[in-house]
Amino acid sequence: MIYLKKILFVLAVAAVGMLSAVSCSKESDLRSDIIGEWHFSDMETDVFIEFRADGDYELFQKIGAGRYRGYAGKWKLEKNILSGTYNEGDDWGSSYRVDIKSFDTLVLSAMNGSEEKNIYKREDIPADVRESALIVKY
């Protein structure tokens, strides 16, 4: 009976270890999958963002007519929640639930109650967007 309890205990510990390894693996896969350049566009907004492996990002946003505005800062991903700060230290207006549908489709769902949901496609940021953007100190 004691021998059986030891075996069950060892199996339970092994199962917990395997589950946590799978959970960590999924989180690190999501982190590596988000790294790169992404593009979102709708009738009013055009956004390019680059997530770098070192935790930095660059974002170029154009609302309506006019120039792109450039922002930069730090991003972090905990489980499937993306958050970040601007270079000056201010937090983003919302955190986002991350869902990567495929290698080239990223869904960001705002967690601030706005129900905003944007679908990004993997796409390089054009050089003219980077070069012509008005850099914003946030």
Side-chain angles (χ1 to χ4, degrees):
M1 185 68 157
I2 293 176
Y3 181 71
L4 181 59
K5 286 182 181 178
K6 285 183 181 180
I7 289 175
L8 290 175
F9 177 75
V10 168
L11 288 174
V13 169
V16 167
M18 287 174 27
L19 284 175
S20 66
V22 167
S23 173
C24 290
S25 173
K26 285 182 181 178
E27 185 175 337
S28 68
D29 287 348
L30 190 58
R31 181 176 170 72
S32 64
D33 288 347
I34 200 172
I35 293 169
E37 298 180 14
W38 299 91
H39 180 228
F40 164 78
S41 186
D42 65 13
M43 297 288 284
E44 298 176 15
T45 309
D46 198 34
V47 178
F48 289 93
I49 188 164
E50 177 184 13
F51 295 106
R52 297 185 186 135
D54 64 2
D56 288 343
Y57 74 87
E58 276 190 296
L59 177 126
F60 301 93
Q61 177 179 355
K62 181 169 71 168
I63 300 174
R67 292 173 64 182
Y68 283 90
R69 297 185 181 278
Y71 303 87
K74 297 284 186 186
W75 67 276
K76 66 180 177 178
L77 186 65
E78 295 177 340
K79 300 198 186 259
N80 68 332
I81 305 301
L82 175 68
S83 60
T85 57
Y86 297 98
N87 270 343
E88 288 69 28
D90 292 335
D91 291 335
W92 290 351
S94 178
S95 295
Y96 298 87
R97 189 175 324 99
V98 173
D99 186 15
I100 297 184
K101 298 287 186 185
S102 66
F103 174 76
D104 64 349
T105 304
L106 167 67
V107 179
L108 296 181
S109 302
M111 300 185 65
N112 62 1
S114 69
E115 298 186 23
E116 175 186 355
K117 185 176 191 178
N118 296 321
I119 300 172
Y120 287 76
K121 294 294 184 181
R122 192 175 293 275
E123 183 180 324
D124 290 343
I125 301 171
D128 64 320
V129 169
R130 288 183 188 272
E131 293 164 5
S132 67
L134 175 65
I135 304 304
V136 176
K137 302 285 186 192
Y138 198 85

